[in-house]
Each structure stands twice: as structure tokens, then as C-alpha cells.
Amino acid sequence: MAVCIAVIAKENYPLYIRSVPTQNELKFHYTVHTSLDVVEEKISAVGKAMADQRELYLGLLYPTEDYKVYGYVTNSKVKFVIVVDSSNTSLRDNEIRSMFRKLHNSFTDVMCNPFYNPGDTIQSKAFDGMVSAMMVQAS
Amino acid sequence: MSVPDYMQCAEDHQTVLVVVQPVGIVPEDQFFRIYKRIASVAQVSIRDSQRNLYIRYRHHYLPENNDWGDFQTHRKVVGLICVTTCGSGKEWPQTSERFHGQKEVFGATLYDSRLLVFGLQGEIAEQQRTDVAFYPSYDDCPDVEKKVEDFVESIFIVLESKRLDRATDKSGDKIPLLCVPFEKKDFVGLDTDSRHYKKRCQGRMRKHVGDLCLQAGMLQDALVHYHMAVELLRSVNDFLWLGAALEGLCSASVIFHYPGGTAGKAAGRNPSAAQGQAADAGKRHRPGALTTNGISADTSSEIGRAKNCLSPEDIIEKYKEAISYYGKYKNAGVIELEACVKAVRVLAIQKRAMEASEFLQNAVYINLGQLSEEEKIQRYSILSELYYLIGFHRKSAFFKRVAAMQCVAPTIPEPGWRACYKLLLETLPGYSLSLDPKDFSKGAHRGWAAVQMRLLHELVYASRRMGNPGLSVRHLSFLLQTMLDFLSDQEKKEVTQSLENYTSKCPGGMEVITLPDGLRLHPVPFTKLPIVRSVKLLDLPVSLRPHKQKGLMENSMSTKSPFIYSPIIMHNRGEERNKKIDFQWVQGDVCEVQLMVYNPMPFELRVENMGLLTSGVEFESLPAALSLPAESGLYPVTLVGVPRTAGNITVNGYHTSVFGVTSDCLLDSLTSVRTSGCLVEVIPSLPRLQLSTSLPRSAHPLQPSKEELSSSVSVQLFNGETQQLTITLENIGSEDLETLEITSKISNTKDGISVTGLPISSPLRQVLKPRAETRPPGSESSKTDYNHVKMLEAVMTFKYSGGAGKVEGYYRDLTLGLHVDVEPSVFFTRVSTLPATSTRQCHLLLDVFNSTEHELTVSAQNNQDLVLHASECQRMAIQVDKFDFDTLPQPDQETVRYTSLKLLEEERLHAQASMINSTLGITWDIPSVRRKGEASVEGVLNQLVLDHLQLAPLQWDVMVNGKPCDCDIIADCKVGDAVPLEVKLTNRSKNTVGPFALTVVPFQDYQNGVQNYDLQDAVTFIGSNTFYIDTVNPSEESLCLGALLFLYSGDFYLNIKFQDDSVGKEPGAGQGKELPLSWFGLPSIHIRAQEAPMEAGA
């Protein structure tokens, strides 16, 4: 399960970032922030080839000593980043994909809210609850 | 080998390493001047061969690294240039000794060496030595470059010979095993005769020859040798050297593919070299001209080269492979790291960022054992630089920040705060953080707040430790201003506390701070402390508002819309801001601007020195200090100032001082501020009147509050009571009052106060005291609502002007509202008259009712006081002279023409009543509350009463003995004397009257009801007892004279009887109507005839 989940706007600022409370939050901010370099690189690399039928899932962005960072980009260039613990080897690529899909669906719900202003930070409780379900339960 | 050279790039493999070092005492700056000149010779084309030799200079090189020279020959120090100062011949041996000592250090690998001696002259300097050059001074050494070139050529000769030596060394002789330092002990006792060992030796040697070929400028040969080495080494699993051979292959291919170099800033690294080369480009080949310089007649070599050379993709593959082999050896960490760096540079050129990042990621994990702090900084910096190179700006910023933190790590005895600060500043773009607050004014901040805040905190701390509190204040202000939304309450407190600490030493201001490296830190105005929601320019108070004289006013009304009213309001803020507001301010008067502010902080916010920023006219701002409670709601703040000149003033913004930081906040940059316009006209100064009254001011406004009043007074009065009100006007302005106009208006009754205008030309500050007596009217209507409190309201307007404002046609209004509550006092329930003894008088009977709750005394002129209890009614009789209403002023023709009859009648009645009132002088007095007033009969008078009270139009005067006689006057006369009797008729009616006949009938009244008319014996008339009066014209008199003779003493009465002759004599003439009887009220005359004393005696 994830230790940090972030939603990043098209303009590359965070719309939502949440990490397991036991850890240093700032560290994840740095991790997600730097992962954007890779995301951008991947988007630009793919964008040249096929803009239309792009795979939304970007796969592993980069591994660090302790974490693996996965990325996902919607067609509107909103990025999702999931950070998982490196030690968690049981996690398959498919599970990561399904997490992203769930995240995307929930994000779509947020965007459908007429009271949500696109570009604002996400404060939806439903979204928060869904993210919580995907996070590692602090034990 | 522990210290990596992070600057290495693939093309460094073709260079030869030359160390330049000072020997003895050489001034550092002089050494580096010489070093630069030496280093400018980075490329030498060798005579007789079309090859180039590239030289890499180092002024510092670890001998330890030199031990890896066999592994990769570009690591081997092949040349040594020593620079030394030698003052005299005596020092020469010592210097020479030192030079040799230095040679010893790199002795094993040196091909050649040189000594440059500065300052030595004389015979020693004369001697010709190839390895030593003498120069008189550091400034006088023109041929240093030439000497270096010669030196390089000599190196080339050795290099070439070695290459040839090794390359042809395949004839059966035993090939020595080349090895790296850490391998040496591994090969002890190894079977040197095995095939495996031989192959290893061969492979390594082949690789070595490849290196030499590359250095000697024989790229093609090098590629061939490398390929062979790879095959040989692969077969014996000599991974370290296999890696080296692969890397060599990569390097050679890179040199082939990218003649421009991969370092990215080769020219930058060695600018003088680049210049030098450019200068004599004709003579030499340019550094990128490898392909041309390698051209030979044999085209097959071209083909071979292309075949042997790796494709760009293969280069990366081989690099990967090489690095994976290096990775197997812990001691080859530096080699691996450098290979990574080199590969990244190549990938950066190929624009393959993703793969480059993988190499870098790998490089991060290479453990080089214990690194010194300086090495760590270097490593992080280079990582940052490489990430930047491949376009990973965020990652680059991350490592730069890590490097910055490393500069001030607690383990460092002397932390480099300056370096740390500089590095931190360089990370700003990576975190998309601009230090210009303008970039944050557009709506909510969007960015990586947590990360940015951390960075700002670090900047603050670093700048403080640098000893630049001004900088810390600026950064901290920026943090507070831009990150306010992201700070927790606790953080807000902490940040402001530290800001206050800093500003106590160095107050923050609005100046631009320019850093030594040219970065400009813009001032940070605290537009969020407090947050201003709206700015509204306020009109002057009513009493000070200037008005334009009529006629000049009209054109100021300008509406763009063709509609008189439209619910659609144009939402165009920019335009609104520049719109002129339709009121004026006055020069010299305090003007106000209201801001709605709120404090977003969780504690009380003290804002000091808050004032307005204006342009257009000279404006004296009067700053205010305010204290806003924690998280206050919208809070109105009024900023004041005095315009000192006339013109159009624009309010541009406001300035504050919060936490010791002064800010100028301009409205243009504050998009969230609502304003209804900031441009207002300031008109020239006007005088200023202050109004004070003898009565206390009242708070409650007049009932029909259509207009705003400057002030108002209210008073409670009994009906008929008089209250004096003194109004004092004082000119407290600085301009002379030139005109003053006073008008008054009653708002709900038609009569009452009237004040006449008095034009006044006053000197400065003259106190004016016109007295306006106000007399609350209203007694006329007391009958119907006597127990209701009546309200009277009036407005007095003082219109004044003067000074420069008057010239421009402006004036001011001062209005005073009067509010009077009238309570009923006394009133008359019934009025009737009784005739008095005199025809000129009558008795007026008044039923007086006391409607107050107090006992009161009613008094009239010449009458006894009447005491009335509450709600008591009594009759009082007053003897009054009849009135001559005709003497009242008649309304002039003009008025008559334009006024309705009814109004004229009312006017007349009012005038009559006033006359009666003033004659009667009925006053009341309530002793218990010390109030007194008048009572008016107006309204209770009916026509009958009025008729009775009116003097007849024909006025009769009877004179006896020349004395006027009336009812109660007794005329004295003497018996026997003729008593002259005059009857005078004055016609005051409008018509001609007469003629009349009057008959005088004497009689005696016995006071018992008996009247004796038979007095022929006692009284005799001299002449006729009948008077004839001819026609009398209006306002004329007619006089009849007669005489009486009393024969006896006694009291006599004369009854004058009247006959109207006109009826009989001129029927149809006259006035066609009979004159009323009451017109002929002739007095009865009482005459007392007395004996003359003398005659009585006779």
C-alpha cells in the first residue's frame, strides 16, 4: 500500500498531497516534487510519438533507497503520484495500476462537483476517504 | 584512488596530463597568471604529422591517482612544469634541488619536465638548458607559450615512441601484466605461464595501446585496439579491464561523433585557450576538426573507422556494460562514478534524459567510503549540475539544496554560510519560487508551499548567519507575505516573532536589495497584514461639503449609458479605479478614506504609521496607528490627510509599518481590493464655520429627514412660551469669510421663524452673533388638539463662501435644524364681549382653561392675576380699549393680486389677533416649573367678538369746555358761564357719510332709576340744541360748535341723540344702505355745574 499519494495540477503545483502521518511529511514533498522531472520527461517523450492513444500509466518513475515512485497522467495533464515502500515487494504492477484507476475515478468525481473550482486544492472528504483506504494503515 | 574528478568527460581520454606546480615561494596570483598562460596551450598540432595533441593541465594532482595511470593513460601524469621564483644565484642550487624533488613525486610516469624560473638574472640564467627557462620577472616572459609548445612536442615524441614500442611488442616477448594498485597483491603467486594469464596480459596491453593511440591522435587505431582488447578480456572474465576497454571504446566513439565535446562548457572552462585557438585558426586545426584532421589518402581507413566506431545507441549500451563491470569492484568506485558522469554528459548531448537520470541515480548510490565534507559538497553540486544538464530542474534544485546544507553541516568547524546562501539562491528556479512579490499577487498562491517555505526559512537563517540582517528581514517578510495561507497558527507566531527580532536590529523597508552577484531582491509590501478589502474615499461631512454655484454645475453630470437607470453595472475594476468621484475635497480640510481591513493573524496585529499614498496634489498624510484584534472580521479604518494644493488627487495606496517592516501597498497590484474610484477633485480652500448654539444639540434628526443637517437643536416648550436661541458662528478655517447668507424654512407649519439675510464681510476669525429669536407658533390650532404634543420643525441655512474657493464658484452650507415639541399650556374655551361704559372700550370675557398639570397664574395687562389649578377653567374679564384695525398695514397691491382671497383673509385675521394679543398681553406663569409664556386669543375670536372689539368707523369726540369728555369723566363748569360744547366727527370709513343731525338732550339721573328730562329751567342752550353735520368725506373731520348755560348747580348728563338726515334728504343718494347703529356710539356726557363762589355770595 502507498505511503504517499499526491495529485498535481497541470501547472505542476500540488492539488492534494497526503502521506502516512508517521513519517516526515516534508520528505515526501521533496520526493514527489522531484519526481515531476521524470513525469515531464516521460510525457514529452511519449507526446512526440502518439498524443492521442497515450498510456496514462507512466510506471515506475524512479526508485529511491526506501521508496518506489509511480506516476500516472490524465489526458488533461493532471498527474497522480503514488509512493510505495521499497520493501513492499508483494505489490504488483497491476495493483498499482488499479490504485491509479481508483484515484482517477475519484478525482473525476471531485471535478464533477459543481462547487469545486478547478485548480483549487482538493478538500473533498470522499476523495480523502478513498485515499486513506489506499494508504498504509499507520500501526 | 578516492577523489573523483567530477569534471571529467569522454574526450578527456584523448588528453595527456600535465601538472603545473609552484616550487618554493611563488605568489599565488602570479602563479595563476602563469598557469593560465600555460593552460592556454591546450591543443598542439604536431609538425610532420597531421595529428593533434590535447593537454589537460592540473595544478594539483594526487600521486595516488597517478598510480591508476596504467589503467587509463589519461590519468597518468606525463609532464611536469614547475614555476619558481629565484632571487639570486645563491638560491639556485636549492631551487634546483626542489625541482628534482618534485620530479620524484611523479617520477615513474613522467615523460618530460620543465622548470620556469622567474627573477633570476646573471650567469646562471645565461646557461642553455632544455629543461629550465629563465625569465627576469613574471611580467617579462613573452615566450612562455612557445616554451610550453616545445615541451608538449617533446612529450609527443616520447608518447609516440611508447605507442610504437608497445604496439609492435607482440613478438613472442613476455608481455608484462598491467594492473591497478589494488590488484597487485592478488596476483602474487599466480601462474604466469598459463594461457589464461597470457591472455589477460595481452588484453590489458591491447587496451593500454588503445589508450596511447587515442592520446596520440590515432582514433582509428585506438578503436581497433579497443575492440581487440574487449574480445581478449571478455574471454578471460577480466571484468575491471574489460570495463576500461569498453569505456575506451565509448570515449573514442564519442570523440568521433561529437567533435564539439560533451563537457558542454569546454570553451567556458578555458576561455583563454579558446581565444588563442581562434586567433591562429589558420595555422591549426580547431578542436572539433577531428574528422578533417584524420583524413588521409586512404579512404578504406574511413570505412574502417565507421565500422569500428560505435553508434550513439551502442555507446550508451557499452557505457552501461562498463559501469556494471566497474561496479563489481568496490575499489573502483571512483572509476565507476566518473564513467557515470561521462555517460550522463553524452546522454545530455543525445537528449536522452530518462536514461541519463538512471545513470545519475546509479551514481548517487556509489559508495566512495568516507568522504570529506568538501567532497560531499562537490559531489552534490555536480549531481545538481548534471541533473540540470538533462533538464531535471527540480532534481537539480534538490541536490543543490543538499549541497548548500552540506556547506554548513554541524561537523564543519567553519560553516560556509555565504556559499550556502549562494547555493540556496540558485535552487529558487527549481522550486519555481521567485523572490519578487509581484509574481504572487495574482490570486491564491499555487506551488509547493511546504517545500518553498522550507527553502525560505533556510534562506532567512543563512542570511542571518552571514551577518546580513537586512537580507533576513527581506526573506522573512517575503515568507510571511506569500506563504501566509500555508502557515499554521503556531508558525505565524514564530515567524512574526523572529521578524520582530530581526527588525529591532535592522528595520525593513521598501528599497531594492541588490546582492553582490546582481540578484535584485524586490521589496515586499505586506498587503496581507492587514488584508484590505475595500477602499472608499469619503465625502466631507455635510457642513463642510462644497457646493458649486448653480449654472456651473450642470455639465458635471455625465452618464455613458443612454438609460436613466440600468440594473446592469459594468464590472470593470480598472475603469472604476480611474473614475472620478462626483464629490469634491477641499484644500486645507481634513479628508478621509475608509478602508475595510481584517487581520488574518491569530493574534493582535499592531499596525503603525498607516497612511495614504497619493499623487496629483500635495497631500499631507496624517498616519494612524491601529491595533486589530486576532482574526478580526472586517474592521473599518479611516485614514486621514490634508490636501495642500488644489487639483485632482489620486489615492494610489497606503503605507504601513508592521513588525518593524514598512510597506507601500499600491492598489494597482491588489486585485482583491474593491474600490469605487480613487480619483477626486480637490477644490481651492474655503472658509470653515463652526456653529454653536445656546441650546444643547439634539441627537435625533428632524422627522422629514430629507436633507442632512450639520447640526440640530431640540427644545420642549409650552404653548406660548418663548425661548431665546443664540447661534454663534465662528470661522475656524484659514480663509476669510466673504459672504454669508441666512435663510430659514419651516418644514410643517406655514409661519414661525423668519430670519432676514445679513450680508457680512468679516475679517479673519470674527465671531458673528446674529440673534435669531424663534417664537414657536401654533396657538391657533390648540382647540382641536390641545392635549396633544405638537411638533414644529424648522431649518436654518447659513450659506457662506470666501477665499480661493469663492473665486472658483464654490460655497458651503451650514444647516441648523430646530425641533420644538409644543405642549399645550392655557387656552380659551370661550370668548365674549360686554360693552363698557365708554364707547371706546369694552369688556372681553375669556374662559381660560389650564391644560397643564401644574397650577398656573394667568395675568393680563392692568388686570389681576388669576390662579388656575390643573385642568381648571375660569372666566376672566378684561377691559380693553377698542381696536382700530384699520391702522394695521394693508397688504400691497402686488400681494393682493397673487394671493388667494382666503389667504388674505387669514392674513388679516392673524394681524388682528396679534394686535389684540399684544394689547391684552395675557401671560401665564407656572411657578412650580418656572416657566412662563403668552397666551393668544387667535383662533377663538369670532366675527361677532371682533366687531365688538372694533372701533366704529365714525369717531365722535365731544369736548366740553375744551376738554374731551367720555363716559366716566366729569366735566366741571360754573353756573352761569357759557359752556362751549364741541362735537367732532372723524370719518374713518371708506365712504362719505352724512349729513347728520344731532340733538343734545340734557337730563339728570337721580341714581334711583328716575331720570329727569324736564330741565328747561336748569339748562339752556345758547343757540340750537341740534347740530347739523354736513357730508364728511373719508378721513375728514367735521366740527360742530354749540354752547350750554347751566343755571343751577348740579350733576347733569347730556344725551346726544342722533338723526340720520341723509335718508330723508337724499333718498337714493348716500350709500344705499343704512349705517349700522354701532357706528353712532356717542358718549354720554357728565357735567357738574358748580356755583361760582363770588356769585354764591351775592
Side-chain angles (χ1 to χ4, degrees):
Chain A
M1 295 307 248
V3 289
C4 174
I5 292 177
V7 181
I8 293 128
K10 181 169 174 280
E11 294 84 5
N12 287 331
Y13 63 87
L15 293 174
Y16 182 92
I17 182 158
R18 175 121 179 262
S19 52
V20 283
T22 48
Q23 314 240 11
N24 178 9
E25 198 187 327
L26 190 66
K27 183 175 73 181
F28 288 112
H29 276 264
Y30 277 119
T31 307
V32 177
H33 180 249
T34 48
S35 74
L36 287 178
D37 278 330
V38 184
V39 172
E40 281 199 323
E41 183 58 39
K42 287 205 173 193
I43 294 171
S44 68
V46 175
K48 279 172 223 153
M50 262 205 276
D52 314 331
Q53 292 172 333
R54 193 160 49 80
E55 164 79 278
L56 301 180
Y57 178 57
L58 297 178
L60 180 66
L61 297 180
Y62 69 92
T64 71
E65 257 171 296
D66 308 317
Y67 304 106
K68 284 183 191 155
V69 185
Y70 293 89
Y72 183 96
V73 182
T74 70
N75 286 313
S76 55
K77 297 279 190 295
V78 172
K79 292 115 190 157
F80 301 133
V81 172
I82 294 181
V83 183
V84 297
D85 212 308
S86 290
S87 58
N88 193 345
T89 47
S90 62
L91 215 56
R92 305 273 164 110
D93 204 45
N94 259 346
E95 292 170 61
I96 300 286
R97 274 175 196 270
S98 80
M99 275 165 82
F100 275 123
R101 214 166 297 126
K102 263 160 74 184
L103 203 60
H104 196 168
N105 286 341
S106 193
F107 177 74
T108 311
D109 290 346
V110 170
M111 294 297 285
C112 289
N113 178 0
F115 298 103
Y116 173 75
N117 229 343
D120 286 359
T121 52
I122 296 171
Q123 277 152 339
S124 156
K125 276 182 190 161
F127 189 79
D128 211 41
M130 192 276 313
V131 168
S132 301
M134 286 199 293
M135 300 279 267
V136 170
Q137 301 307 314
S139 47
Chain B
M1 181 151 165
S2 61
V3 183
D5 177 6
Y6 294 101
M7 301 313 290
Q8 273 205 17
C9 44
E11 57 266 31
D12 283 346
H13 282 254
Q14 67 176 332
T15 61
V16 291
L17 185 61
V18 173
V19 171
V20 183
Q21 276 183 328
V23 174
I25 302 143
V26 178
E28 197 171 306
D29 54 333
Q30 299 291 9
F31 170 73
F32 278 102
R33 262 180 57 202
I34 296 300
Y35 177 77
K36 263 188 187 160
R37 290 182 63 182
I38 293 169
S40 69
V41 190
Q43 182 193 22
V44 175
S45 67
I46 307 304
R47 263 172 281 157
D48 307 330
S49 70
Q50 289 183 322
R51 285 185 271 164
N52 268 2
L53 194 64
Y54 296 90
I55 308 100
R56 201 155 55 106
Y57 295 95
R58 288 283 179 275
H59 53 84
H60 176 79
Y61 199 73
L62 287 177
E64 185 194 348
N65 285 5
N66 201 20
D67 297 342
W68 286 72
D70 282 341
F71 183 67
Q72 285 174 325
T73 52
H74 71 282
R75 296 180 191 279
K76 189 187 278 185
V77 180
V78 295
L80 175 71
I81 301 175
C82 284
V83 179
T84 188
T85 311
C86 192
S88 65
K90 275 187 215 159
E91 294 173 30
W92 172 244
Q94 196 190 352
T95 308
S96 188
E97 195 58 40
R98 280 202 193 121
F99 173 53
H100 287 293
Q102 200 65 41
K103 275 205 282 192
E104 290 300 307
V105 176
F106 302 105
T109 59
L110 283 185
Y111 294 170
D112 202 356
S113 59
R114 287 286 183 278
L115 177 65
L116 304 180
V117 184
F118 290 91
L120 193 68
Q121 279 170 319
E123 54 181 288
I124 299 165
E126 301 292 309
Q127 58 182 303
Q128 288 294 319
R129 284 183 60 167
T130 48
D131 62 338
V132 182
F134 295 97
Y135 297 103
S137 76
Y138 287 104
D139 300 316
D140 186 13
C141 48
D143 64 342
V144 167
E145 286 88 352
K146 184 76 192 62
K147 276 272 186 300
V148 174
E149 276 180 37
D150 291 346
F151 171 62
V152 169
E153 276 181 30
S154 94
I155 288 176
F156 177 76
I157 291 161
V158 180
L159 177 70
E160 187 68 2
S161 73
K162 288 219 173 203
R163 181 182 71 84
L164 291 170
D165 185 32
R166 296 281 160 92
T168 53
D169 209 13
K170 38 194 158 173
S171 57
D173 292 355
K174 200 168 182 184
I175 302 167
L177 179 70
L178 297 168
C179 54
V180 294
F182 72 86
E183 280 177 327
K184 282 188 175 126
K185 57 182 184 297
D186 300 346
F187 295 123
V188 175
L190 213 71
D191 178 13
T192 54
D193 290 331
S194 69
R195 242 175 83 91
H196 192 266
Y197 184 80
K198 269 186 187 156
K199 258 195 165 172
R200 182 187 292 238
C201 291
Q202 272 177 1
R204 289 188 179 190
M205 185 52 76
R206 196 50 78 181
K207 192 258 159 206
H208 183 69
V209 175
D211 280 354
L212 291 174
C213 287
L214 193 60
Q215 281 184 311
M218 302 186 63
L219 189 68
Q220 182 204 6
D221 292 19
L223 283 166
V224 172
H225 285 296
Y226 282 137
H227 272 293
M228 287 163 69
V230 166
E231 278 185 23
L232 282 166
L233 292 167
R234 207 189 284 281
S235 64
V236 295
N237 290 339
D238 188 0
F239 293 122
L240 185 64
W241 285 78
L242 175 56
L246 287 167
E247 196 190 343
L249 201 54
C250 292
S251 302
S253 305
V254 167
I255 291 163
F256 173 73
H257 282 292
Y258 309 106
T262 57
K265 43 183 180 177
R269 278 165 76 191
N270 221 338
S272 56
Q275 272 172 8
Q277 284 158 12
D280 42 16
K283 209 163 63 183
R284 290 178 188 157
H285 293 292
R286 316 217 46 198
L290 259 179
T291 44
T292 48
N293 95 33
I295 285 176
S296 61
D298 185 7
T299 49
S300 67
S301 70
E302 278 295 302
I303 297 159
R305 179 184 296 174
K307 198 177 73 189
N308 290 326
C309 186
L310 297 172
S311 71
E313 286 75 28
D314 280 346
I315 294 174
I316 302 308
E317 283 307 311
K318 296 292 183 239
Y319 261 125
K320 261 187 205 162
E321 198 184 341
I323 289 163
S324 74
Y325 294 144
Y326 290 150
K328 291 179 193 289
Y329 300 89
K330 201 169 160 251
N331 292 320
V334 173
I335 304 291
E336 186 188 356
L337 187 61
E338 288 182 2
C340 283
V341 170
K342 286 176 227 176
V344 168
R345 289 193 203 277
V346 174
L347 282 165
I349 295 252
Q350 295 182 348
K351 303 218 182 317
R352 289 159 72 179
M354 278 312 297
E355 283 160 291
S357 79
E358 278 165 33
F359 276 99
L360 276 175
Q361 190 76 37
N362 184 44
V364 171
Y365 295 133
I366 295 169
N367 184 11
L368 295 182
Q370 204 62 40
L371 286 179
S372 73
E373 301 297 340
E374 201 182 326
E375 283 163 349
K376 280 184 194 165
I377 296 166
Q378 204 188 2
R379 183 170 178 179
Y380 293 130
S381 299
I382 204 73
L383 280 171
S384 162
E385 196 180 296
L386 290 171
Y387 270 116
Y388 191 84
L389 204 62
I390 61 170
F392 281 22
H393 299 297
R394 296 177 186 86
K395 201 88 180 169
S396 165
F398 178 84
F399 278 108
K400 192 149 270 177
R401 192 189 142 264
V402 173
M405 291 297 103
Q406 202 62 54
C407 290
V408 292
T411 48
I412 295 182
E414 279 179 46
W417 288 106
R418 237 163 242 288
C420 170
Y421 182 76
K422 190 171 169 295
L423 286 169
L424 284 176
L425 278 184
E426 287 170 14
T427 67
L428 287 170
Y431 291 109
S432 33
L433 191 62
S434 140
L435 289 182
D436 189 349
K438 281 196 194 77
D439 298 340
F440 287 83
S441 59
K442 315 267 183 305
H445 174 57
R446 285 171 170 176
W448 291 83
V451 176
Q452 290 172 341
M453 258 158 56
R454 179 59 171 264
L455 179 59
L456 284 171
H457 272 299
E458 283 162 356
L459 277 174
V460 169
Y461 192 69
S463 55
R464 188 174 74 89
R465 295 299 300 262
M466 265 163 66
N468 193 339
L471 221 49
S472 335
V473 168
R474 179 57 50 88
H475 287 309
L476 206 50
S477 308
F478 184 85
L479 171 68
L480 198 56
Q481 163 73 16
T482 57
M483 300 292 163
L484 193 64
D485 299 344
F486 304 100
L487 290 169
S488 69
D489 284 1
Q490 186 57 35
E491 284 170 324
K492 281 177 187 169
K493 260 178 219 165
E494 285 166 8
V495 169
T496 50
Q497 247 163 33
S498 47
L499 182 58
E500 275 174 315
N501 280 343
Y502 292 154
T503 51
S504 64
K505 287 170 222 139
C506 175
M510 286 299 289
E511 71 284 357
V512 174
I513 297 177
T514 307
L515 293 177
D517 60 353
L519 185 75
R520 289 158 65 82
L521 292 180
H522 290 273
V524 185
F526 277 148
T527 56
K528 286 184 178 167
L529 297 171
I531 296 174
V532 173
R533 267 295 141 83
S534 72
V535 173
K536 189 180 167 200
L537 277 64
L538 297 184
D539 200 354
L540 291 170
V542 185
S543 62
L544 295 177
R545 236 168 252 178
H547 302 277
K548 189 93 175 166
Q549 297 284 6
K550 286 271 156 55
L552 299 158
M553 188 102 169
E554 308 312 319
N555 51 2
S556 71
M557 287 277 285
S558 66
T559 42
K560 277 177 195 156
S561 164
F563 304 107
I564 295 166
Y565 168 76
S566 165
I568 302 157
I569 302 156
M570 294 300 169
H571 287 290
N572 193 337
R573 283 210 172 115
E575 199 177 301
E576 246 172 63
R577 220 161 250 180
N578 299 322
K579 206 175 66 185
K580 198 162 164 180
I581 307 175
D582 61 354
F583 57 73
Q584 288 96 24
W585 280 354
V586 179
Q587 175 190 342
D589 278 5
V590 174
C591 301
E592 297 177 324
V593 173
Q594 193 183 56
L595 309 179
M596 295 305 286
V597 303
Y598 77 86
N599 171 15
M601 301 304 258
F603 47 83
E604 187 180 289
L605 183 66
R606 283 201 53 75
V607 185
E608 274 149 32
N609 197 30
M610 190 167 187
L612 292 170
L613 295 172
T614 60
S615 64
V617 307
E618 210 176 294
F619 189 80
E620 185 190 337
S621 178
L622 307 170
L626 43 138
S627 179
L628 297 168
E631 271 157 16
S632 67
L634 274 185
Y635 209 82
V637 172
T638 307
L639 298 180
V640 296
V642 181
R644 291 294 176 205
T645 53
N648 283 331
I649 188 170
T650 311
V651 175
N652 296 324
Y654 59 93
H655 62 83
T656 57
S657 175
V658 184
F659 307 128
V661 179
T662 55
S663 329
D664 290 348
C665 307
L666 295 179
L667 295 180
D668 284 343
S669 56
L670 296 172
T671 45
S672 60
V673 174
R674 281 196 312 273
T675 166
S676 52
C678 291
L679 180 68
V680 75
E681 187 186 352
V682 177
I683 64 152
S685 53
L686 283 168
R688 216 176 135 179
L689 282 188
Q690 195 181 48
L691 182 145
S692 54
T693 58
S694 55
L695 288 173
R697 300 260 165 128
S698 78
H700 77 97
L702 298 193
Q703 227 62 20
S705 52
K706 284 170 287 187
E707 50 196 322
E708 294 175 273
L709 296 169
S710 345
S711 58
S712 64
V713 292
S714 98
V715 64
Q716 178 268 324
L717 292 174
F718 283 107
N719 199 353
E721 195 177 351
T722 300
Q723 174 72 52
Q724 200 178 61
L725 172 66
T726 308
I727 299 166
T728 311
L729 293 173
E730 189 182 351
N731 185 0
I732 54 167
S734 53
E735 292 291 326
D736 288 354
L737 184 80
E738 288 165 28
T739 60
L740 176 68
E741 219 174 287
I742 302 171
T743 51
S744 72
K745 196 173 81 188
I746 310 296
S747 50
N748 62 350
T749 56
K750 53 190 175 295
D751 52 355
I753 310 151
S754 82
V755 185
T756 45
L758 42 151
I760 294 162
S761 168
S762 83
L764 184 72
R765 282 185 175 272
Q766 185 183 348
V767 179
L768 304 166
K769 276 195 180 176
R771 283 193 172 188
E773 202 179 41
T774 69
R775 181 142 153 225
S779 41
E780 87 274 14
S781 53
S782 50
K783 201 184 282 175
T784 46
D785 51 359
Y786 59 87
N787 47 4
H788 292 121
V789 174
K790 266 182 56 173
M791 259 178 348
L792 291 176
E793 281 169 353
V795 177
M796 297 184 70
T797 308
F798 304 86
K799 190 169 147 184
Y800 62 96
S801 184
K806 183 174 183 287
V807 179
E808 297 272 307
Y810 287 99
Y811 65 89
R812 270 178 170 156
D813 269 346
L814 199 59
T815 47
L816 174 68
L818 287 171
H819 176 97
V820 185
D821 286 319
V822 186
E823 285 187 37
S825 52
V826 294
F827 65 94
F828 305 103
T829 52
R830 212 162 69 90
V831 179
S832 56
T833 48
L834 276 179
T837 42
S838 161
T839 54
R840 301 274 176 100
Q841 289 183 325
C842 76
H843 291 285
L844 190 65
L845 301 179
L846 297 163
D847 290 351
V848 193
F849 179 73
N850 174 11
S851 61
T852 67
E853 292 165 350
H854 312 279
E855 184 182 281
L856 60 73
T857 317
V858 179
S859 55
Q861 246 160 28
N862 317 317
N863 223 53
Q864 271 206 319
D865 290 356
L866 184 70
V867 176
L868 279 173
H869 298 289
S871 308
E872 194 186 8
C873 187
Q874 277 194 40
R875 174 167 295 188
M876 70 187 296
I878 308 163
Q879 191 178 31
V880 285
D881 291 332
K882 284 192 178 178
F883 299 94
D884 180 9
F885 294 134
D886 295 333
T887 58
L888 288 171
Q890 292 295 316
D892 59 83
Q893 288 300 309
E894 285 293 295
T895 329
V896 171
R897 196 177 303 163
Y898 294 112
T899 324
S900 71
L901 269 175
K902 194 173 173 229
L903 237 118
L904 276 176
E905 180 63 17
E906 277 178 11
E907 197 73 8
R908 194 176 61 77
L909 280 173
H910 174 66
Q912 290 174 358
S914 310
M915 193 176 182
I916 296 165
N917 276 337
S918 61
T919 313
L920 292 177
I922 304 173
T923 58
W924 48 262
D925 184 10
I926 308 173
S928 58
V929 290
R930 295 165 183 263
R931 307 280 284 265
K932 53 175 76 180
E934 297 167 4
S936 169
V937 294
E938 194 179 349
V940 288
L941 296 169
N942 51 33
Q943 192 57 46
L944 187 68
V945 175
L946 279 173
D947 284 348
H948 283 284
L949 284 171
Q950 189 171 17
L951 273 176
L954 302 184
Q955 194 179 321
W956 303 92
D957 294 289
V958 180
M959 314 271 273
V960 177
N961 247 347
K963 287 179 194 163
C965 270
D966 208 345
C967 303
D968 299 328
I969 295 169
I970 301 166
D972 290 319
C973 63
K974 289 196 183 93
V975 174
D977 284 356
V979 179
L981 178 71
E982 284 175 54
V983 176
K984 190 169 80 177
L985 167 64
T986 313
N987 181 11
R988 294 201 303 205
S989 74
K990 294 182 184 73
N991 303 311
T992 313
V993 291
F996 306 111
L998 299 173
T999 310
V1000 181
V1001 182
F1003 67 94
Q1004 275 188 308
D1005 192 351
Y1006 297 144
Q1007 306 287 337
N1008 57 359
V1010 179
Q1011 288 177 336
N1012 177 22
Y1013 286 88
D1014 191 18
L1015 291 170
Q1016 287 91 336
D1017 300 338
V1019 183
T1020 180
F1021 282 88
I1022 301 167
S1024 168
N1025 69 335
T1026 304
F1027 301 100
Y1028 292 100
I1029 295 170
D1030 217 352
T1031 317
V1032 183
N1033 290 321
S1035 69
E1036 278 184 6
E1037 295 177 346
S1038 176
L1039 193 67
C1040 312
L1041 282 171
L1044 282 165
L1045 185 67
F1046 292 95
L1047 304 173
Y1048 299 99
S1049 61
D1051 278 12
F1052 299 94
Y1053 294 89
L1054 296 177
N1055 193 1
I1056 303 174
K1057 284 190 176 165
F1058 164 81
Q1059 278 174 290
D1060 191 353
D1061 279 8
S1062 63
V1063 182
K1065 279 185 180 174
E1066 294 172 48
Q1071 278 61 52
K1073 63 170 183 191
E1074 216 165 313
L1075 294 169
L1077 201 65
S1078 61
W1079 288 26
F1080 300 97
L1082 279 156
S1084 60
I1085 299 146
H1086 187 180
I1087 300 168
R1088 179 170 291 160
Q1090 285 172 319
E1091 295 278 346
M1094 286 296 285
E1095 281 171 32

